[in-house]
Amino acid sequence: MAESAHIRSLLVFMVFYLVHYSDQSQPSQYQALLRIKHQLNFPAEISSWTENTDFCNGEPNSFLTLVCYEDSITQLHVEGNSFFPQLSQDFSTVDLFFNLLSLPNLKVLSLVSLGLRGELPSTIGNLSSLEIVNISSNYFEGSIPTEIFKLKNLQSLVMDHNKFTGQVPDCLGRLPLLAVLSLKNNSLRGSVPTSVSSLETLRTLVLSTNMLSGEVPSLQNLANLQVLDLEGNKLGPHFPRLPTKLVSLVLRKNNFIYAKLNELSSFFQLQNLDISLNQFVGPFAPSLLSLPSLTYLDIAGNKFTGRLLEGTSCNAELHFVNISSNRLTGVLPTCLESNAKSRTVLYARNCLSESYQNQHPYSFCHNEALAVSVLPHKQEKETHSKAVLASSMVGGIIGAILLLGLALLIIRREYGKQKINKVPHARLIMEKVSPAITLKVLKDASYISETRKLGPLGLPPYRTFVLDELKEATNNFSALNLIGDGSHGQVYKGLLTDGTLVAIRCLKMRKRHSIQTYTHHLELISKLRHSHLVSALGHCFDCYPDDSSVNKILVVFEHVPHGTLRGFVSDGHLQQKLTWTQRMAAATGVAKGIQFLHTGMVPGIFSNQLKITDTLMDHDFHVKISKYNLPLLAENGRPECVTISSIGSKEKVGHRLRYEEKDDVFDFGVILLEIIVGRAIVSQNDINVSNDILLVSLTADDIARRSIVDPIISKECSDASLKILIQLCLKCLSNVPSDRPSVEDVLWNLQFAAQVQDSWHRDSSSNHGSPIHFC
Ligand SMILES: *[C@@H]1O[C@H](CO)[C@@H](O)[C@H](O)[C@H]1NC(C)=O
Ligand SMILES: *[C@@H]1O[C@H](CO)[C@@H](O)[C@H](O)[C@H]1NC(C)=O
Ligand SMILES: *[C@@H]1O[C@H](CO)[C@@H](O)[C@H](O)[C@H]1NC(C)=O
Ligand SMILES: *[C@@H]1O[C@H](CO)[C@@H](O)[C@H](O)[C@H]1NC(C)=O
């Protein structure tokens, strides 16, 4: 009793000491947090903070996240709700940011919906570690301080839904890493700064719902730009020059007039195109309907002209089309009529010969079409206004009025000195990122902070690669880097520029399909992450230049450095052979990997044709399954395999569908067999022979039984655990799939055997007075 009381007080002291100690190392940071709590007037999310709060180890939730690195606060995320308490009268952003200066290592600052008001102080520029800033949904006012552009590490700047006024400072070029800039729903005026043209790292640019005006500077060099949203401004009249990798383009509700829609026909990754509610004139490009990634198309409320044809083709994934209120003639393409359930198609107020949605008479569109068709080449000539006027005589009254407007525009344009250079013909893109995945990723800019932070498996987040990156990593897929070539494609070893070693599997597609065909598979692959799997880090498409169908898919996997499990149980040097305990752990790892393949995602991945040579060893003898049945392979038709497991599975073909999970259990049995006997099992005959020996050994005495296992472990394994494993192995190798145990049973038995071994080891070591070194 007295002793336990003593221990308890010692513990209390230690805890106190530790808390006290860590407190002392960072007192100013914690003090600053408490002051911030006062300044924010105790919002519910942080009102419980006290002197004794263990800031660095709190449970994060969606309203409050604090992340520390080595006791120093690196991420502060506070999100209020609509019921945040009014800030006190003397609230001052200057004081707030002054306190934030006490967190010198702050990388992520997110203060959302907290009712913050006043100007954003220039001291934000002194928080030099900042990478991600999100101060959306507050009442920040005044202009955006230029000091913010001193933050060289800034990757994401999000200041949506505030009351910022003035211009967007033209010093964006100073942020070499900026990937996300979002200033949605403020009151910014002036033009889009030209410095945006030099932000090569930019992936998302959102300036919607402001009062920006004038021409959009060329964005053509922004090779990484995927999301551009300029909705709800007064931008125009010329269509911006855009990079071809865009995934989402929104120019809705602006003053754009001159479109060159056919230039968008090389935008193979474009999913979302909304240029509605402008004053666009010119021919509509029906080829847009068949853009391979397009799912959403809205050109409504413009003056696009042209004749639609019945036979125009559409991308099958296109689920929303609004071409209403334009000047289109002809008939609705058949591909838009069918499939009515899964697709919304709106086409009212054109001049189509359709009776369902309200249409104008043909002349309404025709007159304007005439006007518009003179437009492009008349621009080159000096007599343009005359010609336009002349042609307006042909048109009706409406046409005349519209033409006058047009003529005025043309004149204005002629005097405006901005001359558009001819856009060079868009180069075909060879490598592409999967649009579905990128869009998802981009929805959350905080993803970027995640790329820096490794997940629980110590892996960077799944991402898309570009072909050039992989070429560089593998010395242009040099033969010297080839580390495997077989039924599952070639595997190259590669070194990424950040120093990560990877294994790149190159899958040649047998049939030509578009990228979307594989989106779902790649989404599955991106989920293939488990500590006993060689996990996927990302992928890259290699497309045919002619029709951009997929030629190869390159899947990038983590590199596992220490060779195969076979090298550690039957093949390698004596000194690297695994002990009995390690062998049981390795078998458990393989089984856990299989269990994840079967149950870790829907649908599960079965019939993986697992082999011991595809089971790799990581640091600390941790096993990882490397070649599993990638969802892509199933689709693409698997080549014939000349391996053990296929020998084993020939008899099982009839059962394949019903017992597919048992295929993997059989293959596991073969691996376990090799682990036990310590000899390479390379043929069906090897399996049969060893199987018989195991069977006989079960009825023999323990000395005889040990004689069949790898001699190196025969002295250190307990007979009881050996027996459990032999029985398990025999069951797994059963010819009748239904007799084989489930993966769960396998795991249970392995764990049981490990416990038996463990207690035997403890007994025997206490008997001998000295521990047996290997177990
Ligand atoms: C912020 O940095 C500027 C120099 O960049 C310096 O003059 C100023 O004193 C700093 N402010 C604070 C509060 O540290
Ligand atoms: C714009 O921001 C204000 C707050 O500043 C918010 O009340 C409003 O809903 C936002 N509008 C849109 C369209 O998001
Ligand atoms: C389609 O466009 C028309 C014309 O601009 C608009 O009135 C209608 O609301 C749009 N429909 C949808 C569903 O966006
Ligand atoms: C900013 O933070 C809010 C609240 O957490 C979040 O909903 C929003 O997606 C963030 N914006 C970006 C672009 O990450």
Side-chain angles (χ1 to χ4, degrees):
M1 282 299 274
E3 203 179 331
S4 79
H6 179 72
I7 289 173
R8 208 175 309 140
S9 63
L10 193 69
L11 273 177
V12 168
F13 170 76
M14 280 174 65
V15 168
F16 174 79
Y17 177 79
L18 286 173
V19 168
H20 194 69
Y21 177 78
S22 61
D23 229 357
Q24 286 229 319
S25 71
Q26 291 303 333
S28 60
Q29 293 199 24
Y30 293 180
Q31 296 297 316
L33 287 177
L34 293 175
R35 285 196 301 270
I36 288 169
K37 165 180 127 171
H38 283 262
Q39 286 170 333
L40 297 180
N41 206 11
F42 307 92
E45 292 74 28
I46 58 173
S47 59
S48 61
W49 282 355
T50 68
E51 306 261 274
N52 299 324
T53 302
D54 183 2
F55 290 101
C56 286
N57 294 304
E59 196 60 33
N61 60 45
S62 55
F63 296 111
L64 173 66
T65 310
L66 259 175
V67 177
C68 302
Y69 181 72
E70 290 178 348
D71 267 347
S72 183
I73 292 168
T74 56
Q75 301 195 15
L76 172 62
H77 172 109
V78 189
E79 184 177 346
N81 52 33
S82 43
F83 309 111
F84 55 79
Q86 290 292 310
L87 296 180
S88 61
Q89 288 290 322
D90 54 0
F91 170 79
S92 135
T93 49
V94 175
D95 292 348
L96 177 69
F97 277 81
F98 187 76
N99 271 324
L100 287 171
L101 285 181
S102 305
L103 312 178
N105 297 317
L106 199 61
K107 290 187 192 316
V108 178
L109 174 64
S110 173
L111 299 172
V112 176
S113 297
L114 291 168
L116 305 181
R117 57 169 191 259
E119 296 198 359
L120 187 59
S122 57
T123 42
I124 191 169
N126 295 45
L127 289 163
S128 56
S129 301
L130 280 181
E131 293 172 5
I132 305 221
V133 173
N134 184 348
I135 52 169
S136 300
S137 302
N138 285 295
Y139 300 100
F140 282 110
E141 61 195 26
S143 52
I144 297 172
T146 50
E147 283 80 2
I148 211 164
F149 300 100
K150 290 200 292 193
L151 300 173
K152 289 279 176 281
N153 297 315
L154 204 60
Q155 296 169 35
S156 174
L157 178 59
V158 181
M159 314 206 284
D160 299 338
H161 310 301
N162 276 289
K163 302 193 176 309
F164 283 109
T165 51
Q167 304 208 356
V168 182
D170 197 2
C171 29
L172 293 169
R174 290 201 221 146
L175 299 174
L177 301 176
L178 196 67
V180 176
L181 176 64
S182 186
L183 304 173
K184 186 191 324 191
N185 191 12
N186 280 283
S187 303
L188 298 166
R189 289 173 184 276
S191 54
V192 178
T194 48
S195 57
V196 79
S197 305
S198 59
L199 275 176
E200 282 169 26
T201 47
L202 203 62
R203 294 194 302 182
T204 299
L205 176 62
V206 179
L207 300 174
S208 52
T209 325
N210 278 289
M211 289 177 273
L212 301 172
S213 55
E215 300 285 11
V216 179
S218 168
L219 304 176
Q220 208 168 10
N221 293 328
L222 306 189
N224 293 299
L225 192 67
Q226 299 187 347
V227 174
L228 176 63
D229 183 356
L230 302 177
E231 173 176 350
N233 283 287
K234 297 182 178 123
L235 298 166
H238 289 103
F239 199 76
R241 287 200 269 157
L242 301 169
T244 48
K245 282 190 187 169
L246 274 182
V247 173
S248 174
L249 170 61
V250 180
L251 302 178
R252 186 180 164 87
K253 277 195 187 158
N254 273 287
N255 297 340
F256 290 106
I257 299 175
Y258 307 110
K260 289 190 178 163
L261 290 189
N262 49 0
E263 274 171 13
L264 294 179
S265 53
S266 57
F267 284 47
F268 297 124
Q269 288 164 61
L270 195 61
Q271 289 178 15
N272 181 30
L273 175 60
D274 185 348
I275 53 173
S276 59
L277 304 175
N278 280 284
Q279 292 142 40
F280 280 119
V281 295
F284 171 64
S287 59
L288 288 184
L289 294 171
S290 54
L291 273 181
S293 305
L294 199 71
T295 58
Y296 186 103
L297 173 69
D298 193 348
I299 61 158
N302 285 295
K303 291 171 196 154
F304 284 113
T305 52
R307 187 177 170 79
L308 298 184
L309 301 175
E310 206 170 357
T312 305
S313 59
C314 314
N315 173 25
E317 307 293 321
L318 196 58
H319 67 75
F320 180 90
V321 178
N322 194 351
I323 54 173
S324 311
S325 299
N326 276 291
R327 305 288 186 267
L328 300 170
T329 59
V331 291
L332 196 67
T334 327
C335 65
L336 289 180
E337 270 169 2
S338 59
N339 211 351
K341 275 160 279 141
S342 58
R343 185 179 280 169
T344 307
V345 179
L346 300 158
Y347 52 88
R349 292 181 297 285
N350 282 289
C351 309
L352 300 171
S353 25
E354 300 287 332
S355 48
Y356 288 114
Q357 295 183 21
N358 188 13
Q359 297 295 319
H360 291 294
Y362 177 74
S363 57
F364 177 82
C365 295
H366 179 65
N367 293 337
E368 243 176 292
L370 260 180
V372 171
S373 62
V374 282
L375 181 70
H377 77 149
K378 286 300 168 197
Q379 279 172 7
E380 321 292 311
K381 298 194 179 166
E382 302 219 321
T383 54
H384 52 83
S385 45
K386 246 198 225 161
V388 170
L389 283 174
S391 77
S392 76
M393 311 285 270
V394 184
I397 294 171
I398 304 171
I401 292 168
L402 287 166
L403 279 175
L404 268 175
L406 272 176
L408 282 174
L409 280 169
I410 292 162
I411 291 161
R412 229 174 66 190
R413 182 181 170 204
E414 200 71 7
Y415 285 108
K417 61 177 171 15
Q418 248 162 340
K419 185 160 172 59
I420 335 171
N421 301 322
K422 207 167 158 49
V423 183
H425 199 73
R427 194 171 57 88
L428 268 180
I429 329 154
M430 292 288 289
E431 68 284 335
K432 300 200 220 167
V433 290
S434 156
I437 292 169
T438 45
L439 253 200
K440 215 167 64 199
V441 161
L442 288 167
K443 274 192 193 132
D444 188 0
S446 65
Y447 165 77
I448 296 167
S449 69
E450 304 297 317
T451 58
R452 292 261 163 132
K453 205 173 74 188
L454 300 179
L457 295 176
L459 294 173
Y462 191 89
R463 69 169 174 110
T464 50
F465 289 83
V466 293
L467 192 58
D468 288 337
E469 205 176 352
L470 300 186
K471 277 186 180 161
E472 190 176 326
T474 57
N475 206 356
N476 205 7
F477 297 100
S478 138
L480 292 175
N481 287 50
L482 191 68
I483 51 174
D485 191 358
S487 57
H488 293 306
Q490 292 102 341
V491 183
Y492 294 87
K493 183 172 163 176
L495 182 65
L496 300 180
T497 44
D498 67 359
T500 317
L501 266 177
V502 293
I504 301 167
R505 191 180 298 170
C506 175
L507 302 166
K508 171 112 175 102
M509 297 297 109
R510 292 185 161 181
K511 302 201 185 103
R512 284 189 167 209
H513 287 300
S514 69
I515 282 183
Q516 296 97 298
T517 319
Y518 301 106
T519 313
H520 177 66
H521 296 115
L522 289 166
E523 222 164 293
L524 277 180
I525 288 177
S526 73
K527 293 186 188 135
L528 283 166
R529 298 181 144 225
H530 185 267
S531 76
H532 291 291
L533 287 192
V534 174
S535 301
L537 304 179
H539 69 266
C540 164
F541 286 109
D542 179 9
C543 296
Y544 290 104
D546 52 352
D547 61 353
S548 78
S549 64
V550 178
N551 174 17
K552 291 178 191 155
I553 298 179
L554 302 148
V555 187
V556 181
F557 291 92
E558 58 177 323
H559 183 259
V560 181
H562 295 304
T564 74
L565 179 55
R566 173 167 285 167
F568 288 79
V569 301
S570 55
D571 209 13
H573 299 296
L574 231 53
Q575 61 268 37
Q576 75 172 23
K577 285 210 171 174
L578 298 185
T579 66
W580 182 237
T581 311
Q582 286 170 334
R583 285 178 195 224
M584 285 191 289
T588 308
V590 176
K592 283 185 175 165
I594 296 174
Q595 186 186 37
F596 176 78
L597 287 169
H598 289 185
T599 61
M601 69 204 73
V602 181
I605 297 179
F606 300 99
S607 302
N608 291 286
Q609 308 206 343
L610 302 164
K611 286 177 285 172
I612 195 164
T613 48
D614 295 332
T615 305
L616 303 183
M617 302 297 283
D618 204 350
H619 311 274
D620 314 323
F621 305 117
H622 183 93
V623 300
K624 285 172 180 266
I625 299 175
S626 76
K627 288 187 189 165
Y628 34 85
N629 193 359
L630 279 181
L632 277 170
L633 292 170
E635 190 81 352
N636 204 43
R638 194 210 308 261
E640 281 298 309
C641 296
V642 282
T643 54
I644 310 177
S645 34
S646 65
I647 302 165
S649 22
K650 265 189 192 124
E651 305 143 27
K652 303 174 294 180
V653 162
H655 304 284
R656 177 145 283 206
L657 287 178
R658 274 183 63 208
Y659 295 109
E660 42 183 13
E661 83 266 34
K662 298 292 177 73
D663 284 357
D664 288 339
V665 173
F666 181 90
D667 294 342
F668 172 80
V670 179
I671 295 174
L672 186 58
L673 189 60
E674 185 160 336
I675 289 178
I676 296 172
V677 300
R679 270 182 293 111
I681 307 285
V682 295
S683 66
Q684 181 65 40
N685 192 46
D686 286 347
I687 299 176
N688 296 342
V689 170
S690 300
N691 195 62
D692 292 345
I693 294 175
L694 287 194
L695 206 57
V696 172
S697 81
L698 276 182
T699 55
D701 64 8
D702 63 334
I703 309 219
R705 197 157 29 244
R706 275 168 205 247
S707 70
I708 65 158
V709 303
D710 189 342
I712 204 158
I713 52 166
S714 68
K715 283 194 213 73
E716 34 147 326
C717 64
S718 77
D719 187 51
S721 68
L722 177 59
K723 248 172 127 171
I724 296 169
L725 255 62
I726 291 177
Q727 279 163 339
L728 177 65
C729 185
L730 287 169
K731 276 203 216 144
C732 292
L733 293 175
S734 166
N735 278 330
V736 185
S738 58
D739 288 351
R740 295 176 201 150
S742 68
V743 181
E744 285 67 32
D745 285 344
V746 169
L747 273 170
W748 190 90
N749 277 288
L750 287 170
Q751 272 148 14
F752 181 53
Q755 281 169 6
V756 169
Q757 169 71 18
D758 197 37
S759 55
W760 175 83
H761 165 224
R762 260 185 276 125
D763 287 353
S764 64
S765 61
S766 59
N767 286 347
H768 295 105
S770 69
I772 295 177
H773 190 67
F774 277 111
C775 283

